[in-house]
Amino acid sequence: MFAGGTKVPDLVEEQTQSEYSFPISFGIGVKYYFTDRLALGTGINWTLLSRSFTGSYKTETGKFTHEMHYIGVPLNLYCDVFQRKGLQLYVYAGGKAEKAVSNSWYIYDKSASPICSQKVKGLQWGVDLGFGVEFKVSEHLALYLDPSVDYWFAGSQPKSIRTEKPLLFSFDGGLRIIL
């Protein structure tokens, strides 16, 4: 069963518990300062969630990999704690909304093509609290790393690490444009 009651495709049967991979996320963002220390940030993120289990599909059995690709938009409030010569430390809080753009099951031992795919309705919502470090590459461009504690609301999303363990530690990184 998917979290929230959505059924797994009728022909995919899970026979073992899932083993989850670390979520991978990259993004590009914009940060706008409205005071000397406070900024509002948004952007776009790509996230890959995957898990594996032994199962069956029609007449095929084997080790399945379930992969979900999400595109998301974060919105965070930042407060600078330390800044010196292109290095900045800050704390932040906010939320994000993500849409699953791919939801596919594979048996890689048999084919690199998906065995089954299914659309996902709705968005997955999350809130986060964290701190970060930003390295300015130029006056308006920076690289960042944002460790945080995230909480994800399952809604009608497919089974994933986020629906099974909604409180997660994450390490987001990417490019940020500074306005």
Side-chain angles (χ1 to χ4, degrees), residues 95-167:
K96 42 191 136 187
E98 294 197 352
K99 173 69 179 158
V101 294
S102 175
N103 179 35
S104 301
W105 288 260
Y106 299 84
I107 301 177
Y108 282 119
D109 291 345
K110 303 191 183 211
S111 173
S113 298
I115 291 287
C116 181
S117 295
Q118 186 179 48
K119 289 186 177 185
V120 177
K121 294 179 182 177
L123 299 174
Q124 185 161 34
W125 297 91
V127 293
D128 57 5
L129 178 64
F131 66 94
V133 60
E134 183 176 279
F135 302 98
K136 283 191 176 179
V137 178
S138 68
E139 183 180 348
H140 296 289
L141 185 64
L143 297 171
Y144 71 93
L145 180 63
D146 287 351
S148 66
V149 175
D150 301 346
Y151 185 85
W152 291 95
F153 301 95
S156 61
Q157 297 301 298
K159 183 177 180 179
S160 72
I161 188 73
R162 291 177 177 171
T163 61
E164 294 294 303
K165 298 178 186 202
L167 185 64

Side-chain angles (χ1 to χ4, degrees), residues 30-35 38-42 78 176-179:
V30 175
K31 193 158 113 176
Y32 175 75
Y33 280 89
F34 55 92
T35 72
L38 294 177
L40 196 59
T42 189
Y78 295 87
R176 181 174 288 139
I177 298 167
I178 303 165
L179 301 176

